[in-house]
Amino acid sequence: KALLDAADKAYGAAINPADKPFVSLPLYEIKDAVNAVSASGKGRVTYDMLQFSTAWMQRKLNASPSDLFQIIVDDESMTPTLRPGDTILLDRRATEPSREGVYILNMNGVPLVKRLQILPGGIVKVVSDNPAYETFTIPLSEINARDFTILGRVVWVVWAGRRI
């Protein structure tokens, strides 16, 4: 924390985060993902934070620091793509399944990391990469209803430094 404070002081904490060469993105446990993306931004931020280049975020992810935050995966449903303990970057702007990808969902108050695939007929297939977990479908019209919302799309696996 002291190093991050010193970096903010050196670069000027009043500077717009997008104008800083490096920024720290909040890191949440997945159980706090629902609160993290809410309008209040509340949630328990861990003390572990990584610095990211704002130029890299713009170039590789077409995102600004306010668009992204980190989540720690806590289950095996997406193994081998994601493993428990992996840190992922979530783009909070992606709240619609506009393309196939890995998303964090809020299903009945439980955050889940799942692959979404859009099928003909307005159906979305919800897939776990681990075959031990069941695949299910949901009508596109029911996404972002009260019991099933998309919190964002996973855009980077931090530990491996690769896109998914």
Side-chain angles (χ1 to χ4, degrees):
K1 173 95 171 105
L3 290 175
L4 296 178
D5 290 341
D8 275 345
K9 193 176 241 184
Y11 290 115
I15 295 174
N16 180 344
D19 295 335
K20 292 182 180 182
F22 292 91
V23 294
S24 297
L25 297 177
L27 174 64
Y28 296 93
E29 300 284 339
I30 196 165
K31 64 184 175 219
D32 291 322
V34 176
N35 291 330
V37 298
S38 71
S40 66
K42 301 287 187 212
R44 287 177 282 176
V45 178
T46 70
Y47 290 103
D48 299 323
M49 287 195 172
L50 298 174
Q51 291 272 306
F52 292 87
S53 160
T54 52
W56 173 84
M57 283 188 272
Q58 181 59 46
R59 187 177 66 252
K60 290 289 189 185
L61 305 176
N62 193 28
S64 68
S66 63
D67 299 329
L68 305 169
F69 61 92
Q70 303 173 83
I71 296 286
I72 299 172
V73 176
D74 73 347
D75 71 14
E76 297 177 349
S77 68
M78 289 302 291
T79 301
T81 306
L82 300 172
R83 296 177 179 92
D86 283 353
T87 300
I88 54 179
L89 280 183
L90 186 75
D91 185 340
R92 71 174 77 219
R93 298 172 298 173
T95 58
E96 299 288 332
S98 59
R99 64 181 210 176
E100 182 176 329
V102 177
Y103 292 80
I104 294 188
L105 314 172
N106 175 15
M107 194 167 79
N108 298 317
V110 177
L112 304 170
V113 182
K114 301 292 178 200
R115 184 175 306 281
L116 299 183
Q117 181 182 11
I118 302 168
L119 300 176
I123 301 294
V124 176
K125 186 176 180 181
V126 182
V127 180
S128 297
D129 288 357
N130 184 336
Y133 291 78
E134 292 291 326
T135 295
F136 62 93
T137 60
I138 184 168
L140 188 58
S141 61
E142 291 183 26
I143 290 182
N144 292 326
R146 200 179 90 181
D147 297 332
F148 191 98
T149 57
I150 297 175
L151 302 178
R153 187 170 55 83
V154 176
V155 293
W156 200 269
V157 180
V158 176
W159 65 267
R162 60 185 169 88
R163 284 184 87 111
I164 61 168

